[in-house]
Amino acid sequence: MLNFSIFGLMKKQTHLNLEWPYEMDDEDCERRRMECIDEMTNLEKQFTDLKDQLYKERLSQVDAKLQEVMSGKAPEYLEPLANLQENMQIRTKVAGIFRELCLESVKNKYDCETQAAFQHWESEKLLLFDTVQSELEEKIRRLEEDRHSIDITSELWNDELQSRKNKKKDPFSPDKKKKPVVVSGPYIVYMLQDLDILEDWTAIRKAMATLGPHRVKTDVSSKSDKHQHNARSEDGRLFYDGEWYSRGQAICIDKKDEYPTSAIITTINHDEVWFKRVDGSKSKLYISQLQKGKYTIKHV
């Protein structure tokens, strides 16, 4: 509408120019000037009205577009919203996958810790079992030593135990009272009990068995019916009749009036040799027995 008004104004100016005479006096000029001023004022007024009308139209268009955006119907709003929703779905999916991976990682770590704790428990249990087994084997070995050491005094031991049992059964029996011993001539009174003598004798036998392989024999030229063998242990090895024997070697054990036995050496101590037979049973030989010839061994 503004364009049409300007075009109409230009037509009026052209019409007025065509009507202008070639010679005009002052009154005509003044009149023409006033007409042009009126025309300019009219044009400015029309321009202002058109500007206000355009502003109102633009404002109404912006308000309508805002209403469409508020109601969620504007294309300028729906397209970016669709892109944002797509990005949100992608990020939500990625976050879900990451969550599953984190949960799986925590579960795997828990399983690893559980397995490590179980393996540590198993190893500690086996170590404790081996320790207890070694201690029990050591006690059994000492009991075996004690049994071999007190063989000759077993009767004294049994008599002492029997006497103790009888005392416990009938402590007030008149038959069990000791009668005074009448002796004549010089005599020695032993103030020790039989059990104390037995314990001292066992300790002496152990000391003799321990120091036996390292004692220096002074009576070399003495006559003896038994053949003495050279046997000793050094650094976990056994030296017997000019040959060395180590742990894990197979040997043949021979005893008089018995069939030879094959075995494997398991342990060599300073006074004994442990071996394992073919049937799995374990036993030992004292080095003093090898020296006296009670047993003989040789390589297989």
Side-chain angles (χ1 to χ4, degrees):
M1 185 175 181
L2 181 60
N3 293 332
F4 289 119
S5 298
I6 294 173
F7 182 70
L9 179 60
M10 291 176 66
K11 287 178 67 177
K12 288 182 178 181
Q13 287 180 352
T14 305
H15 179 67
L16 290 173
N17 290 332
L18 290 175
E19 293 179 355
W20 284 350
Y22 292 98
E23 293 181 0
M24 297 178 62
D25 54 5
D26 294 336
E27 295 179 358
D28 293 335
C29 290
E30 185 65 24
R31 183 175 56 79
R32 277 298 178 193
R33 191 178 66 80
M34 294 301 294
E35 291 179 354
C36 290
I37 291 174
D38 293 338
E39 290 291 338
M40 291 295 294
T41 303
N42 190 16
L43 288 174
E44 288 179 355
K45 184 179 179 182
Q46 291 179 2
F47 180 76
T48 303
D49 294 339
L50 290 174
K51 184 173 69 173
D52 293 339
Q53 185 178 359
L54 180 62
Y55 169 74
K56 291 179 181 179
E57 290 179 356
R58 286 288 186 184
L59 183 60
S60 62
Q61 290 178 0
V62 171
D63 290 337
K65 185 65 67 176
L66 181 61
Q67 292 296 327
E68 290 180 357
V69 171
M70 294 297 293
S71 61
K73 297 179 180 180
E76 295 85 352
Y77 171 74
L78 294 177
E79 291 180 0
L81 180 62
N83 293 331
L84 289 176
Q85 288 179 350
E86 184 179 359
N87 293 333
M88 181 192 68
Q89 292 176 357
I90 294 174
R91 294 184 64 181
T92 303
K93 185 177 180 180
V94 171
I97 295 173
F98 181 72
R99 175 178 175 273
E100 294 296 331
L101 291 176
C102 290
L103 290 176
E104 185 177 358
S105 176
V106 172
K107 185 177 180 299
N108 292 334
K109 187 175 181 180
Y110 169 76
D111 294 338
C112 291
E113 292 292 337
T114 305
Q115 186 177 4
F118 180 75
Q119 292 178 355
H120 178 72
W121 175 75
E122 286 287 341
S123 61
E124 291 295 330
K125 182 180 73 172
L126 292 176
L127 180 61
L128 179 61
F129 178 80
D130 293 339
T131 303
V132 174
Q133 184 181 12
S134 300
E135 292 178 356
L136 292 177
E137 288 180 353
E138 181 66 20
K139 290 181 179 179
I140 292 173
R141 186 181 66 82
R142 291 179 180 177
L143 291 175
E144 289 285 339
E145 291 179 357
D146 295 340
R147 184 174 65 85
H148 287 290
S149 300
I150 63 175
D151 281 342
I152 61 173
T153 57
S154 60
E155 294 181 358
L156 182 60
W157 179 270
N158 293 331
D159 294 340
E160 181 66 21
L161 293 179
Q162 188 66 29
S163 62
R164 287 193 174 188
K165 289 181 180 180
N166 294 333
K167 288 180 181 180
K168 290 181 180 179
K169 288 181 180 179
D170 193 4
F172 300 102
S173 177
D175 297 334
K176 301 297 181 178
K177 293 182 179 180
K178 292 185 177 179
K179 296 180 179 180
V181 179
V182 180
V183 294
S184 60
Y187 63 93
I188 299 175
V189 179
Y190 295 97
M191 302 300 294
L192 295 176
Q193 299 293 330
D194 293 339
L195 184 60
D196 296 333
I197 298 173
L198 179 62
E199 292 178 354
D200 295 341
W201 176 248
T202 303
I204 294 171
R205 289 294 305 273
K206 285 184 179 180
M208 292 176 62
T210 303
L211 300 175
H214 302 282
R215 288 182 309 195
V216 179
K217 296 181 180 180
T218 56
D219 191 9
V220 180
S221 60
S222 62
K223 295 182 180 180
S224 178
D225 295 333
K226 298 181 180 179
H227 178 68
Q228 296 292 329
H229 295 268
N230 187 7
R232 67 178 183 275
S233 64
E234 293 182 5
D235 299 330
R237 296 189 303 167
L238 174 66
F239 180 79
Y240 178 73
D241 286 350
E243 294 184 358
W244 287 99
Y245 297 83
S246 303
R247 178 181 178 182
Q249 289 184 345
I251 60 175
C252 180
I253 304 173
D254 191 8
K255 184 180 180 181
K256 294 180 180 180
D257 301 332
E258 291 186 6
Y259 189 77
T261 304
S262 298
I264 297 176
I265 298 175
T266 58
T267 306
I268 298 176
N269 297 327
H270 63 280
D271 60 345
E272 61 190 11
V273 178
W274 285 84
F275 59 90
K276 183 178 181 181
R277 295 186 178 89
V278 180
D279 56 359
S281 61
K282 292 183 179 180
S283 185
K284 65 180 178 179
L285 289 174
Y286 288 98
I287 295 179
S288 59
Q289 293 175 338
L290 295 175
Q291 291 174 348
K292 296 176 181 179
K294 186 176 181 180
Y295 292 91
T296 59
I297 62 174
K298 63 181 179 179
H299 288 288
V300 176

